[in-house]
Amino acid sequence: MSDAAWWREGVFYQIYPRSFRDSNGDGVGDLRGIIEKLDHLEWLGIDGIWLNPTMPSPNADWGYDVSDYKGVHPELGTIVDLDELIARAKERGIGILLDFVPNHTSTEHMWFKDAVKERHSRYRDYYVWADPTAGGSPPNNWLSVFGGDAWEFDEASGQYYLHNFLDTQADLNWWNDSLRDEMDDVLRFWFERGVAGFRVDVAHAVVKDRGLRDNLPATEEDDPRTQQLGQQHTYSMDQPEVHDVIKRWRALADSFEPPRVLVGETFLLDLHKMAKYYGTGDELNLAFNFPFVFAPFEAEALREVVELTEELLPPDLAWPVWAGSNHDVLRFPSRWCDGNPARTRVALMMLLTMRGTPFLYYGDEIGMPNTELTHEQLLDPVGKRFWTDDKGRDPCRTPMHWSADPGAGFTEEGVEPWLAFGDHGACNVGDQRDDPGSVLSLARALIGLRKERADLRRGAYATIASPDGTWVYSRGPSTIVALNLSDNEAVIDEIEGTLVASTHPERAGEPAGGALRLERWSGAIVSV
Ligand code: GLC
Ligand code: CA
C-alpha cells in the first residue's frame, strides 16, 4: 500500500444525489445537478465523492433496494450522465465512489422475480430460502433491523425468504458461487467505466451462518443499538466467512490500474471487530468507525475512541476513516453540536486534523443542521415505522442549502422538493462563501491546510496531556492541534509556535508562546 495513496491523503465528500442539486426542475436532485456543482467541490478542495445509491430502485429504502446493478435510476439521469460526471470529476482530480449494496436486492430485481416464480430457477439459490419449522413458524428467531421478523413467507413455494431489512429487500445468499461471480461482474462493469471505488453497504453482514442458527438474546453489556432489537446478530451478521468475500472484492479492485478503493459500512460498535475488516491489508481499504460517530462530543470520550483506533490500526497496516454525519446517523452540527456554530467549528477542526481519511456529508461544510419534519413529511420507512421515539433518517436527507432564494438554489422557484426544505435562509453556501468568519470558510481553510502540511495528511498521532475538557494531539513532528470542548476557557502549557489556523480566524498568525489560551468551544492548530 503506497503511503501517498490518494484516498489516504484526501478528503471525501458524501452526496445524497436526490438532495444535492436538481438540474431539471422536477424537485429531485440528479447527476447533472452534481456536475453543475463540481466547481463548488473543487473550490472546497475535496478529492473524492461517495454517491449514495444511483442504481434503479423502487425506492422502498431510497435506492438501497436495487433492482438493476448495472443501471442508473431514471430520476437521477442516465448512464451517459454518470459517465460524464466521472469524467468531469476526474479532470478536477476528484474520484467518484458509488454505493454497492451486495447484502440484498429489491424484490423487484429480475433475479428475485424469477426465483419466486420458479422453484427450480437458476436464481432461486441467489437468495436465502428456508422451510418453516414443524409448527409453521419462521425458520429461526432472526429479527429485521427495520423491525419485525426477518422472514417473509412465500405461499407458492411454502418457504420463507430472509430479509434483514425491509421485506422488499431480500437478502442474497453469498454461499452461492454463481452469485459471487455475478457480483464480480457488477464491480468490473463499474470499474471499467472509471469509478474510483465503492462504498460497500453493510459490508460486514453479507454472509449468514450456513446453518441459520438462532441469534442469542442481547445482554446488558450490549450496546443499546443491538439491545433495542432484543437480540445480538450472533449468526446473522459479522460471520467469519465474510472475510473471504471481502478479500475477493479487494483482489478485484486491486487488479485495476489505478487500484480501486473499497470503503466499508462496517456498522459494528466494537472497534476490535471493525479492525478485522482491514484484514492484513487485503480486505477493505477503509472501514467506517461507528464507535467514533456515536461517541458523545466530549474530549475524553472522543480521545478514547481515537486512541484505541490508533492502537488497532497502526499506520503501516491500516488507515482510519473519520466522519460525524451520514444519511443514516443524522448531522453532527445537530447531533454533536446542538446547532451551536462554535461547537460545529471545533468538530470540523477535529475531523479534518485526524490521522485518517475524513468524510464530510453534504452540508457539513456549512454547518447545516437536521431539518425538523412532521410525520406527514416523512419518506424514510424507518422514520415512519418508529415515529414516536425515532424520527428516522429524513431530517439529514433534506435538500442542500445553496442559497437563501426560494428553491434554496437546489431547485427552481415554486417547485416542490421531493423532501421538505430546512431553514436555508439561516444557513447556506451563498451567504457563507465570501464571509471569512463563516463555517464554510473555516472548512475550506482546514482542507487547504491539510493539503499544505504533510504532517496533517500523514504525520503520526500522539495524545498530549491536557486539562479536562480539552484534547491536544500532535500530528507529525511539527503540528499540534489543541481543542477545547468545554464551556470554560482553557490554557494549554508548553506549546511554543505559531497558530496556523484557529476556529477564531482572527487568531491565525498569533504566536503561541508557552501558554496557549483557548476560548470555550474553540480550537487551534499550531506549527511548532
Ligand atoms: C445501510 C444504509 C442504509 C440502508 C441499509 C439497508 O445501513 O446506509 O441507508 O437503509 O443499509 O440497505
Ligand atoms: Ca431533477
Side-chain angles (χ1 to χ4, degrees):
M1 166 164 66
S2 137
D3 278 352
W6 73 277
W7 49 268
R8 290 172 56 125
E9 303 251 316
V11 175
F12 279 76
Y13 188 93
Q14 179 191 348
I15 291 179
Y16 198 77
R18 298 181 67 85
S19 285
F20 201 55
R21 157 86 190 144
D22 170 22
S23 71
N24 61 350
D26 64 358
V28 181
D30 46 55
L31 298 174
R32 300 218 69 83
I34 300 172
I35 295 173
E36 286 174 19
K37 293 298 182 183
L38 285 172
D39 280 347
H40 169 75
L41 298 173
E42 185 181 21
W43 171 85
L44 186 59
I46 62 114
D47 303 276
I49 296 173
W50 152 29
L51 298 179
N52 279 110
T54 46
M55 294 164 191
S57 160
N59 282 343
D61 189 22
W62 299 103
Y64 285 101
D65 45 331
V66 175
S67 54
D68 172 10
Y69 285 102
K70 292 185 180 172
V72 169
H73 197 295
E75 280 182 308
L76 303 180
T78 66
I79 200 144
V80 177
D81 297 328
L82 186 51
D83 286 344
E84 186 177 334
L85 172 59
I86 292 168
R88 292 283 184 83
K90 196 169 176 196
E91 285 161 19
R92 297 159 195 260
I94 298 174
I96 301 281
L97 307 190
L98 299 186
D99 215 314
F100 178 46
V101 188
N103 184 68
H104 44 265
T105 70
S106 163
T107 48
E108 294 298 304
H109 194 290
M110 181 277 269
W111 300 337
F112 189 81
K113 290 210 257 188
D114 202 73
V116 191
K117 203 167 67 199
E118 173 58 73
R119 201 157 167 172
H120 301 289
S121 156
R122 59 174 285 229
Y123 299 112
R124 180 82 180 177
D125 191 50
Y126 276 25
Y127 296 89
V128 185
W129 295 96
D131 293 329
T133 60
S137 53
N140 67 21
N141 72 350
W142 295 1
L143 296 175
S144 156
V145 173
F146 290 166
D149 280 343
W151 296 95
E152 188 69 15
F153 191 59
D154 168 44
E155 297 275 348
S157 65
Q159 286 196 307
Y160 281 90
Y161 68 85
L162 177 69
H163 62 90
N164 269 320
F165 296 90
L166 297 176
D167 57 5
T168 53
Q169 292 170 299
D171 276 55
L172 288 162
N173 173 19
W174 278 89
W175 293 100
N176 181 300
D177 286 326
S178 314
L179 173 78
R180 292 186 183 201
D181 291 342
E182 194 118 36
M183 285 299 201
D184 282 356
D185 194 46
V186 167
L187 294 175
R188 221 175 276 119
F189 173 84
W190 291 109
F191 290 154
E192 279 164 5
R193 297 197 95 89
V195 308
F198 282 97
R199 176 266 190 182
V200 186
D201 192 57
V202 289
H204 63 296
V206 304
V207 177
K208 318 297 180 295
D209 176 50
R210 205 158 200 173
L212 299 174
R213 281 171 283 182
D214 275 352
N215 281 332
L216 299 178
T219 67
E220 287 197 351
E221 273 108 78
D222 289 315
D223 190 283
R225 282 172 194 90
T226 0
Q227 254 198 28
Q228 160 224 330
L229 301 168
Q231 66 180 213
Q232 302 173 343
H233 294 296
T234 332
Y235 296 110
S236 51
M237 292 184 182
D238 192 29
Q239 299 302 290
E241 298 87 354
V242 73
H243 296 278
D244 301 333
V245 172
I246 295 179
K247 280 182 192 144
R248 176 186 177 115
W249 294 335
R250 174 65 182 268
L252 183 66
D254 277 352
S255 72
F256 281 78
E257 189 42 49
R260 306 305 150 94
V261 193
L262 298 177
V263 189
E265 186 209 13
T266 40
F267 202 107
L268 290 157
L269 299 166
D270 175 342
L271 284 172
H272 294 87
K273 290 185 180 167
M274 178 277 263
K276 291 209 179 101
Y277 284 83
Y278 287 86
T280 51
D282 55 354
E283 295 192 32
L284 296 171
N285 302 91
L286 298 169
F288 279 105
N289 187 326
F290 285 94
F292 176 79
V293 172
F294 293 126
F297 195 55
E298 291 162 12
E300 224 150 294
L302 291 161
R303 186 176 58 220
E304 266 175 34
V305 176
V306 169
E307 286 174 350
L308 183 56
T309 306
E310 282 285 339
E311 194 183 309
L312 295 169
L313 307 180
D316 48 332
L317 284 184
W319 198 249
V321 183
W322 308 108
S325 310
N326 73 29
H327 66 291
D328 294 325
V329 302
L330 302 179
R331 295 179 173 278
F332 78 75
S334 300
R335 216 167 44 80
W336 273 342
C337 307
D338 283 332
N340 173 339
R343 290 190 196 203
T344 296
R345 298 170 76 88
V346 187
L348 278 169
M349 183 170 278
M350 167 184 80
L351 286 166
L352 292 165
T353 54
M354 306 283 250
R355 181 184 70 81
T357 303
F359 272 70
L360 297 179
Y361 185 49
Y362 77 100
D364 279 355
E365 75 273 35
I366 52 171
M368 183 167 155
N370 293 327
T371 300
E372 272 187 43
L373 298 167
T374 63
H375 193 209
E376 292 64 47
Q377 288 172 313
L378 294 195
L379 298 173
D380 170 23
V382 176
K384 288 200 232 179
R385 181 154 193 167
F386 297 107
W387 168 255
T388 42
D389 42 34
D390 183 349
K391 310 292 179 232
R393 304 170 294 180
D394 291 314
C396 61
R397 296 178 175 181
T398 58
M400 177 68 175
H401 300 174
W402 294 105
S403 73
D405 301 337
F410 164 73
T411 189
E412 288 160 23
E413 180 171 351
V415 170
E416 191 73 28
W418 78 285
L419 186 62
F421 286 128
D423 185 359
H424 57 280
C427 166
N428 64 69
V429 173
D431 289 347
Q432 292 193 23
R433 205 181 140 110
D434 298 319
D435 172 2
S438 68
V439 173
L440 179 57
S441 296
L442 176 70
R444 181 166 182 257
L446 291 169
I447 294 171
L449 196 63
R450 241 184 121 89
K451 290 199 197 303
E452 268 167 42
R453 293 181 83 84
D455 268 358
L456 288 177
R457 295 195 307 278
R458 38 184 118 129
Y461 167 96
T463 300
I464 296 175
S466 70
D468 283 355
T470 67
W471 178 16
V472 181
Y473 45 93
S474 58
R475 293 292 320 284
S478 49
T479 306
I480 291 180
V481 182
L483 307 176
N484 182 2
L485 283 76
S486 81
D487 287 328
N488 307 311
E489 185 174 294
V491 176
I492 316 291
D493 294 324
E494 289 173 55
I495 297 189
E496 296 276 356
T498 310
L499 270 69
V500 287
S502 166
T503 52
H504 292 54
E506 67 284 357
R507 291 192 61 184
E510 208 178 275
L516 172 67
R517 182 185 53 83
L518 289 177
E519 294 90 341
R520 62 203 296 266
W521 297 103
S522 75
I525 305 177
V526 182
S527 178
V528 294

